[in-house]
């Protein structure tokens, strides 16, 4: 794996840096050797900033500091996911400096580096890579839904959420890792740019795929994974939420991806979609479960995102939801996901 630094530029402690958060927690594609944020966090460990776990990934106050203190940086990864996928203006100059310093750049935003003539010229002059993960595939490389998904004979489990940026991908990765630790083969289908950055082999970037082919790309990823790896079960990384008005998503996982089991992720103290009152209140968990049941799938567990919760509060939420829903309720980051794995295997 080649060494990479992740650029968050002041957003590390926000939900906009969920790409960086995923990379800090783990990746099989890059060796993450630092995060570039602000002088305020300089010298701290990125893992401790994120969730209190030391991961030996230092935070630097600037690109210059990172270059001075680290050797052989191969990639700068843009570690934010902004509304609309726009490259923050403050990052433009940093990307230029990285290219001038001989560092290739990886970008998961909808605004492509390869559309910027300055970036392209610098990359060509220094023989560097500009990797735009969200660039759509060519038509000839896309797949249409065929129905072959019906032949898959292992459980397909969708990890879906009540909103964006809740930990769906992280929960799915933890489940795959938990299975591996027990000698059980499980695979995860990535559906976003961070899943690819973390080393995902099977998947596609959902929100940059032409709508007619979303179902087919999902099916193709699942069927290819099933044929090539013969796993005990397959996890689908969810996107957005069924009723998030800024980008409703999830019906495809159940209907086109034939996921009959769902792990639902929820943040009990988040009241509005994307924390924006104009987008409306997040409905109750019980109503989401009822909706998923109407689609023909079963919610087998609830995973809690404990943002803004004290330990006393999230433990109380866990107990309350278990009594109300009658399904396992887990705290993935605090306690792991073994209880969910047991439900899947049973």
């Amino acid at each position: 794996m080649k060494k990479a630094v992740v650029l968050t530029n002041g957003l590390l402690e926000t939900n906009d840096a969920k790409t960086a958060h995923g990379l800090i927690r783990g990746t099989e594609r890059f060796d993450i050797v630092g995060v570039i944020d602000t002088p305020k966090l300089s010298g701290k460990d990125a893992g401790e900033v994120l969730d209190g776990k030391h991961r030996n990934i230092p935070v630097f106050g600037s690109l210059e500091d990172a270059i001075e203190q680290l050797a052989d940086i191969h990639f700068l990864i843009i570690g934010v996911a902004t509304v609309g996928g726009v490259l923050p203006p403050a990052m433009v100059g940093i990307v230029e400096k990285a290219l001038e310093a001989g560092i290739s750049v990886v970008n998961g935003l909808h605004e492509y580096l390869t559309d910027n003539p300055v970036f392209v010229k610098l990359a060509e002059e220094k023989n560097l890579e500009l990797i735009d993960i969200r660039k759509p595939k060519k038509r000839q490389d896309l797949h249409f839904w065929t129905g072959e998904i019906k032949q898959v004979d292992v459980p397909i489990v969708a990890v879906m959420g009540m909103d964006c940026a809740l930990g769906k991908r992280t929960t799915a990765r933890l489940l795959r890792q938990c299975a591996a630790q027990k000698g059980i083969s499980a695979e995860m289908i990535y559906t976003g740019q961070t899943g690819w950055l973390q080393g995902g082999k099977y998947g596609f970037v959902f929100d940059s795929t032409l709508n007619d082919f979303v179902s087919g790309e999902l099916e193709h990823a699942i069927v290819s994974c099933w044929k090539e790896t013969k796993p005990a079960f397959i996890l689908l990384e969810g996107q957005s939420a069924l009723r998030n008005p800024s980008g409703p998503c999830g019906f495809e996982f159940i209907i086109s991806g034939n996921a009959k089991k769902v792990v639902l992720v929820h943040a009990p103290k988040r009241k509005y979609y994307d924390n924006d009152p104009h987008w409306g209140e997040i409905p109750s968990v019980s109503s989401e479960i009822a909706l998923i049941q109407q689609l023909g799938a079963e919610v087998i567990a609830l995973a809690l995102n404990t943002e803004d919760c004290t330990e006393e509060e999230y433990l109380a939420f866990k107990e309350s939801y278990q009594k109300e829903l009658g399904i396992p309720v887990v705290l993935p980051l605090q306690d792991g996901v073994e209880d969910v794995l047991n439900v899947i295997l049973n």
Side-chain angles (χ1 to χ4, degrees):
M1 297 190 294
K2 292 190 174 181
K3 293 181 179 179
V5 292
V6 182
L7 177 62
T8 53
N9 206 41
L11 297 173
L12 179 59
E13 296 179 286
T14 73
N15 284 336
D16 283 346
K18 64 180 183 179
T19 295
H21 298 167
L23 291 169
I24 291 166
R25 289 190 171 113
T27 168
E28 291 79 51
R29 194 177 298 277
F30 300 97
D31 178 12
I32 305 300
V33 295
V35 173
I36 299 167
D37 197 69
T38 60
K40 182 186 76 169
L41 297 179
S42 180
K44 295 187 177 181
D45 181 85
E48 292 179 350
V49 172
L50 177 60
D51 56 22
K53 296 181 181 178
H54 187 85
R55 292 182 172 87
N56 198 31
I57 301 175
V59 179
F60 298 95
S62 68
L63 173 65
E64 291 82 359
D65 288 347
I67 292 173
E68 182 180 340
Q69 297 180 50
L70 298 172
D72 302 322
I73 302 173
H74 299 103
F75 290 101
L76 173 76
I77 301 173
I78 296 173
V80 299
T82 60
V83 174
V86 177
L87 179 66
M91 290 189 179
V92 173
I94 299 173
V95 172
E96 287 185 28
K97 288 178 182 177
L99 293 167
E100 289 168 353
I103 301 171
S104 295
V105 184
V106 184
N107 170 44
L109 298 170
H110 287 300
E111 184 176 342
Y112 307 134
L113 301 176
T114 48
D115 286 344
N116 185 310
V118 175
F119 296 163
V120 172
K121 184 173 183 292
L122 284 168
E124 288 176 348
E125 288 174 352
K126 294 185 174 288
N127 195 29
L128 299 171
E129 291 183 89
L130 294 176
I131 301 175
D132 287 312
I133 304 167
R134 265 188 167 132
K135 265 204 166 178
K137 292 181 180 179
K138 295 180 180 179
R139 166 61 189 89
Q140 61 266 29
D141 296 326
L142 292 167
H143 300 84
F144 199 74
W145 195 85
T146 66
E148 193 176 5
I149 189 75
K150 302 292 186 179
Q151 298 177 21
V152 177
D153 60 0
V154 300
I156 300 172
V157 182
V159 182
M160 298 168 60
M162 297 290 294
D163 192 19
C164 301
L166 287 181
K168 298 181 283 289
R169 183 195 64 257
T170 297
T171 301
R173 275 179 60 87
L174 288 172
L175 279 166
R176 180 176 61 80
Q177 292 167 351
C178 184
Q181 289 167 3
K182 295 180 178 296
I184 300 163
S185 171
E187 293 291 338
M188 170 181 153
I189 306 300
Y190 73 84
T191 55
Q193 73 276 8
T194 308
W196 181 87
L197 285 165
Q198 289 182 304
K201 181 179 179 182
Y202 298 97
F204 68 110
V205 181
F206 195 110
D207 63 11
S208 64
T209 300
L210 191 64
N211 190 59
D212 275 0
F213 299 96
V214 166
S215 294
E217 286 294 289
L218 177 62
E219 179 189 54
H220 175 72
I222 295 169
V223 171
S224 298
C225 176
W226 169 64
K227 286 181 176 179
E228 294 173 17
T229 68
K230 300 298 181 184
F233 62 92
I234 295 173
L235 296 155
L236 306 184
E237 175 202 358
Q239 292 294 326
S240 188
L242 287 172
R243 291 182 277 183
N244 183 320
S246 72
C249 179
F251 293 89
E252 298 88 346
F253 301 122
I254 297 172
I255 298 171
S256 306
N258 205 32
K260 299 302 183 186
K261 306 295 180 185
V262 172
V263 176
L264 190 59
V265 186
H266 176 53
K269 297 194 79 173
R270 191 182 299 190
K271 186 174 182 180
Y272 303 105
Y273 286 115
D274 279 359
N275 293 310
D276 189 334
H278 292 93
W279 289 6
E281 289 192 21
I282 297 171
S284 68
V285 173
S286 59
S287 71
E288 197 86 349
I289 291 175
L291 178 56
I292 290 168
Q293 288 174 336
Q294 288 295 311
L295 296 173
E298 175 192 7
V299 175
I300 59 173
L302 181 70
L304 294 184
N305 176 319
T306 58
E307 65 180 20
D308 300 326
C309 292
T310 64
E311 181 177 1
E312 183 180 8
E313 286 174 328
Y314 67 64
L315 291 174
F317 279 124
K318 175 179 178 177
E319 182 180 0
S320 174
Y321 280 119
Q322 281 187 162
K323 287 181 179 178
E324 176 190 353
L325 304 173
I327 57 176
V329 178
V330 298
L331 304 165
L333 295 182
Q334 288 82 8
D335 300 330
V337 292
E338 187 171 352
D339 287 349
V340 183
L341 178 62
N342 292 335
V343 174
I344 294 172
L345 296 177
N346 290 332

